[in-house]
Amino acid sequence: MKYIGPHVSIKENISLSAVRAHELSATGFAIFTKNQRQWKAPQLKEEDAALFRSEMRKYGYSPSAVLPHAGYLINPATPDEELKKKSLALFLDEAGRTVSLGLEMLNIHPGAFKEGTAEDGIKRAAAMMDEVMDQVPGIRIAIENTAGAGTVLGSSFEELDMLLSSIRNKDRTGFTLDTAHLFGAGFDVKNDPDGVLDAFFARFGKEKLFGMHLNDSMVPHASKKDRHESIGRGLIGLEAFTAIVRRRETDDIPLILETPDETLWKDEIRTLLEAAAD
Ligand SMILES: [Zn+2]
Ligand SMILES: [Zn+2]
């Protein structure tokens, strides 16, 4: 089964996200667990979490088809003590929300190390991820690869590997591969998507691919930039996405569209589901 769908809004009530995904004929989807621009949010009410879980069941979404994205304020690699404290608190809160919603995985960016060495940043990020997994049983962490701007970690498989190696809860840690970030980081995901995935599987194994973000790119290959474009309208092109969704390794994991034009989502989902079924 291919779990393909967009990152939908949680506006008004988080349970509406499942309805929104269903209306687009999505077979999977992503959400933020709370307003992603704020450090603090009102507690998730159990009645809202229960409603979300029942809407998931109603529309046939299994927990493995849904990949919540942790807020962008969290920087697991930060050297700043104050920001570290706030990041950990929010990360723990979001992991708790994820489990309350009946979900299992939380997508997170590895963060930026800002000063000093990348190795120190990797150690800090690994420690924070372990702390979250120690404190929140039932959560698995999907570390998202990045385009690698500035001191942002996670733009190479070597760095992702170093991060995974530094984490104690390895069996609960995996990766989300974002195609636009791969492209920005210099992977040839346009001409050789199979080769990029094969290199990932050779290093980490198939079971470490927890999900993917399927985004075309507005910005050039190896630009270290991250600007998403609708599927088939950017510099990566539809052919690469067709190859990706046809891989057996992308069965039964969330394949999320973070593409900018909501009016195209329904078509993008249909195109990708058809390509996968061919
Ligand atoms: Zn992301
Ligand atoms: Zn992404």
Side-chain angles (χ1 to χ4, degrees):
M1 176 86 186
K2 293 292 173 187
Y3 299 143
I4 299 177
H7 185 124
V8 287
S9 167
I10 57 166
K11 218 167 64 192
E12 287 160 65
N13 190 292
I14 197 157
S15 65
L16 291 172
S17 59
V19 182
R20 292 177 177 123
H22 171 75
E23 281 168 355
L24 295 162
S25 308
T27 50
F29 63 96
I31 48 169
F32 290 119
T33 69
K34 55 175 275 301
N35 182 330
Q36 88 281 14
R37 291 188 189 87
Q38 293 169 357
W39 285 105
K40 286 227 185 313
Q43 252 195 328
L44 176 64
K45 291 195 210 103
E46 175 45 33
E47 62 189 84
D48 289 340
L51 188 57
F52 177 87
R53 296 194 301 268
S54 75
E55 294 291 61
M56 288 263 298
R57 278 194 300 277
K58 179 172 163 190
Y59 295 114
Y61 294 113
S62 79
S64 43
V66 183
L67 183 57
H69 194 305
Y72 297 116
L73 294 170
I74 300 170
N75 180 1
T78 184
D80 181 283
E81 280 306 319
E82 189 56 32
L83 185 58
K84 181 175 159 181
K85 225 186 283 171
K86 287 166 81 175
S87 289
L88 176 61
L90 183 51
F91 196 174
L92 282 167
D93 176 61
E94 293 213 39
R97 284 170 194 262
T98 300
V99 172
S100 300
L101 293 168
L103 303 176
E104 296 157 355
M105 290 188 290
L106 182 60
N107 183 95
I108 182 109
H109 295 192
F113 62 91
K114 302 283 186 195
E115 59 191 42
T117 66
E119 286 72 22
D120 287 341
I122 286 168
K123 278 187 201 134
R124 291 190 292 267
M128 191 178 293
M129 291 185 193
D130 268 327
E131 178 130 23
V132 170
M133 287 187 275
D134 287 344
Q135 289 197 40
V136 185
I139 196 72
R140 290 192 293 146
I141 292 181
I143 302 169
E144 183 174 356
N145 72 302
T146 63
T151 64
V152 163
L153 295 167
S155 60
S156 68
F157 289 167
E158 290 74 19
E159 232 168 53
L160 294 176
D161 205 349
M162 281 168 66
L163 185 50
L164 180 63
S165 303
S166 309
I167 289 173
R168 272 184 291 104
N169 296 284
K170 286 185 182 53
D171 52 333
R172 294 160 67 193
T173 308
F175 300 104
T176 303
L177 287 182
D178 182 310
T179 53
H181 300 176
L182 285 170
F183 189 70
F187 289 87
D188 196 5
V189 73
K190 174 186 170 64
N191 299 304
D192 190 18
D194 285 308
V196 173
L197 287 181
D198 286 336
F200 176 89
F201 297 133
R203 187 183 272 266
F204 298 107
K206 153 186 184 312
E207 67 287 350
K208 286 298 178 201
L209 188 64
F210 281 9
M212 286 192 75
H213 289 165
L214 301 182
N215 302 307
D216 214 324
S217 180
M218 260 181 219
V219 284
H221 182 248
S223 61
K224 304 242 176 239
K225 287 195 189 123
D226 167 19
R227 292 276 306 283
H228 298 177
E229 180 55 286
S230 302
I231 300 291
R233 300 195 177 203
L235 297 168
I236 298 176
L238 181 60
E239 230 175 293
F241 295 100
T242 299
I244 290 167
V245 297
R246 283 185 181 161
R247 298 281 300 229
R248 231 181 321 151
E249 296 92 338
T250 61
D251 281 354
D252 306 323
I253 58 170
L255 304 172
I256 304 301
L257 299 165
E258 300 175 310
T259 48
D261 188 345
E262 287 189 36
T263 66
L264 297 175
W265 283 351
K266 202 164 184 166
D267 284 340
E268 290 177 288
I269 295 162
R270 199 187 46 228
T271 300
L272 292 171
L273 284 172
E274 281 174 6
D278 261 359

